[in-house]
């Protein structure tokens, strides 16, 4: 650490000293169920963060929301200058009860439990970095958002993220770092949709011809929808869920499907949506009708000259601690796309390292927590 200034050394040493407190916050967060649709749970996770920050002299603003968890914003440092924004989401993909079944555990340097790397460790990292600058003085206005509903496309958080990103000169999103220590410099955009087909019930043996099979109509559409996938262009169209019918001896009167569109280039979104709408509108069976509904949407994280510089800056800071950081492209969507889409230089995946998110095998590399927090803190200091 020879290349650090005295002020920088103080901050990163303080962060190392706070390792147990940071791990304690991760444990408390993982053990608090906070599925996206569980407002009480997402707010309880927020309460843990607010308590942690309050004990370190940092007050939070709460942006209330009736349906989803409240938005939480913490600010350290004053001035009208442009901010540095740290982001993270409090929700997970897990239903209530998962935390009791799989509470946070550490074995052989690996943490486990629902949302441990995606992204409760990232939230705790941002909280400790914020606390460090509260203690030693921030290099400029530093804002952290602890948002509520990323896993379902951030219906309540998107406006807050865009508002904060517009006044930020750099955005760091603490989604999990890649297993090789890389960060994320690009992400696909995505649109999540629900398709509902209505047909007509009839007895499958006595009067089949009177029925209109919603399942058959849906099946034909699915084949057409999947054909829109263009791997070379980075477009994918995948039906991830299907349900339909009532009983085996009835022509299915209804069917539903969940559709996931992904794309790399922002310009591809509208063309792909138009193709999807055409396929949905095309009727294969007389008497069938179909509805399409967008249930969530993410903007792609598109690399820019500015975000490229931010990556180089972060990687140089990480090198001070002996970390080799690569910039990677991820097919998964995240809130960083919203920040980037309003023009803020944005880097994603700067959180502690982990993997296998959204599965019972999700893990957190516990030894990466302090180094990632230190790299982020140095990057913040050196942006000033
Ligand atoms: Zn996440």
């Amino acid at each position: 650490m020879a290349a650090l200034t005295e002020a920088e050394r103080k901050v990163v040493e303080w962060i190392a000293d706070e390792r147990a407190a940071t791990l304690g916050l991760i444990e408390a967060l993982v053990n608090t169920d906070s599925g996206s649709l569980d407002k009480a749970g997402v707010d309880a996770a927020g309460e843990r963060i607010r308590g942690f920050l309050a004990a370190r002299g940092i007050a939070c603003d709460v942006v209330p929301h009736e349906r989803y968890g409240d938005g939480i914003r913490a600010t350290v440092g004053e001035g009208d200058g442009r901010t540095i924004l740290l982001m993270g989401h409090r929700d997970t993909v897990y239903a209530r009860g998962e935390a009791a079944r799989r509470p946070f555990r550490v074995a052989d340097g690996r943490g486990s439990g629902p949302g441990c790397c995606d992204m409760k460790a990232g939230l705790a990292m941002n909280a400790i970095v914020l606390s460090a600058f509260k203690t030693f003085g921030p290099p400029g206005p530093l804002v952290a958002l602890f948002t509520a509903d990323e896993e379902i496309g951030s219906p309540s958080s998107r406006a807050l993220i865009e508002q904060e990103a517009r006044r930020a000169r750099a955005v760091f999103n603490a989604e999990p770092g890649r297993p090789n220590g890389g960060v994320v410099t690009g992400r696909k955009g995505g649109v999540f949709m629900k398709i509902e087909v209505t047909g007509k019930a009839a007895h499958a043996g006595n009067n089949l011809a009177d029925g209109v099979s919603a399942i058959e109509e849906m099946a034909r559409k699915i084949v057409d929808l999947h054909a829109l996938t263009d791997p070379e262009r980075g477009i994918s169209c995948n039906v991830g869920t299907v349900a339909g019918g009532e009983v085996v001896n009835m022509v299915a009167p209804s069917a539903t499907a969940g559709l996931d569109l992904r794309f790399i280039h922002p310009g591809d979104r509208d063309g792909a949506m138009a193709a999807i709408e055409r396929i949905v509108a095309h009727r294969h069976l007389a008497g069938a009708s179909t509805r399409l509904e967008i249930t969530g949407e993410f903007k792609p994280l598109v690399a820019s000259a500015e975000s490229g510089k931010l990556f180089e800056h972060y990687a140089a800071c990480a090198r001070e601690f002996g970390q080799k950081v690569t910039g990677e492209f991820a097919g998964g969507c995240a809130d960083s796309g919203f920040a980037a889409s309003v023009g803020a230089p944005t880097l994603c995946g700067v959180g502690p390292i982990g993997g296998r998110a959204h599965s019972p095998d999700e893990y957190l590399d516990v030894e990466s927590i302090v180094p990632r927090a230190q790299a982020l803190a140095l990057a913040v200091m050196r942006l000033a």
Side-chain angles (χ1 to χ4, degrees):
M1 283 193 215
L4 300 191
T5 68
E6 182 64 15
E8 290 168 349
R9 200 178 50 73
K10 273 193 184 142
V11 168
V12 303
E13 283 180 358
W14 186 88
I15 286 171
D17 290 343
E18 292 291 312
R19 182 184 188 277
T22 311
L23 207 53
L25 179 58
I26 295 171
E27 177 168 17
L29 287 171
V30 171
N31 291 344
T32 303
D33 282 317
S34 60
S36 310
L37 302 178
D38 176 3
K39 173 174 168 61
V42 175
D43 284 340
E47 201 52 53
R48 304 276 193 190
I49 294 165
R50 287 165 60 193
F52 183 90
L53 292 174
R56 287 156 179 81
I58 301 169
C60 294
D61 314 316
V62 175
V63 183
H65 199 274
E66 262 179 33
R67 184 164 169 202
Y68 303 110
D70 298 335
I72 295 176
R73 173 178 44 212
T75 306
V76 168
E78 316 219 317
D80 299 330
R82 304 196 64 194
T83 59
I84 295 172
L85 178 61
L86 310 181
M87 301 204 317
H89 64 84
R90 310 187 321 265
D91 61 320
T92 69
V93 296
Y94 302 100
R96 194 159 269 253
E98 190 71 12
R101 267 192 296 280
R102 296 193 294 119
F104 185 68
R105 283 211 177 87
V106 178
D108 300 326
R110 280 198 165 190
S112 61
C116 61
C117 80
D118 182 15
M119 58 177 292
K120 290 177 164 177
L123 297 172
M125 179 191 76
N126 283 353
I128 207 68
V129 168
L130 215 55
S131 304
F133 290 119
K134 177 71 183 174
T135 304
F136 293 97
L142 180 64
V143 176
L145 287 181
F146 303 92
T147 55
D149 47 7
E150 189 266 356
E151 299 291 1
I152 53 169
S154 291
S156 80
S157 309
R158 178 177 173 175
L160 179 61
I161 290 165
E162 290 177 345
Q163 176 196 326
E164 287 302 328
R166 276 194 191 96
R167 61 192 193 108
R169 61 202 179 91
V171 177
F172 296 98
N173 193 20
E175 288 280 355
R178 307 273 110 180
N180 67 357
V183 295
V184 176
T185 49
R187 284 187 183 274
K188 286 188 174 181
V191 184
F192 308 139
M193 286 159 274
K194 186 163 125 189
I195 303 170
E196 287 176 329
V197 177
T198 305
K200 186 162 179 276
H203 192 289
N206 293 330
N207 50 350
L208 183 82
D210 292 342
V212 178
S213 171
I215 288 179
E216 180 174 340
E217 179 73 19
M218 181 70 86
R220 289 170 183 268
K221 288 185 196 310
I222 290 171
V223 173
D224 293 344
L225 289 167
H226 276 207
L228 294 177
T229 293
D230 179 351
E232 272 177 27
R233 184 82 193 154
I235 295 173
S236 66
C237 193
N238 180 65
V239 172
T241 63
V242 282
E246 306 275 334
V247 289
V248 68
N249 53 356
M250 184 199 290
V251 176
S254 64
T256 60
L259 175 64
D260 173 311
L261 166 70
R262 305 274 167 138
F263 51 93
I264 293 174
H265 310 286
D268 286 346
R269 187 246 180 227
D270 289 353
M273 282 303 298
I276 288 168
E277 279 160 18
R278 272 196 303 278
I279 288 168
V280 167
H282 177 76
R283 192 194 311 250
H284 296 271
L285 306 180
S289 64
T290 307
R291 269 187 70 240
L292 177 72
E293 184 194 339
I294 293 178
T295 56
E297 176 150 11
F298 280 105
K299 300 262 189 174
L301 172 56
V302 182
S304 63
E306 295 284 286
S307 72
K309 276 187 218 155
L310 185 62
F311 165 70
E312 292 302 337
H313 169 77
Y314 176 88
C317 292
R319 267 197 300 278
E320 298 281 15
F321 306 98
Q323 306 164 28
K324 271 203 201 78
V325 175
T326 52
E328 302 191 7
F329 186 86
C333 300
D335 284 331
S336 45
F338 295 130
S341 73
V342 298
T346 302
L347 195 57
C348 198
V350 300
I353 293 164
R356 303 201 197 110
H358 299 199
S359 87
D361 299 327
E362 178 180 5
Y363 70 90
L364 166 68
D365 174 358
V366 170
E367 294 315 314
S368 75
I369 298 166
V370 167
R372 298 288 269 201
Q374 290 174 324
L376 177 61
L378 189 62
V380 167
M381 277 185 280
R382 290 189 177 177
L383 271 175

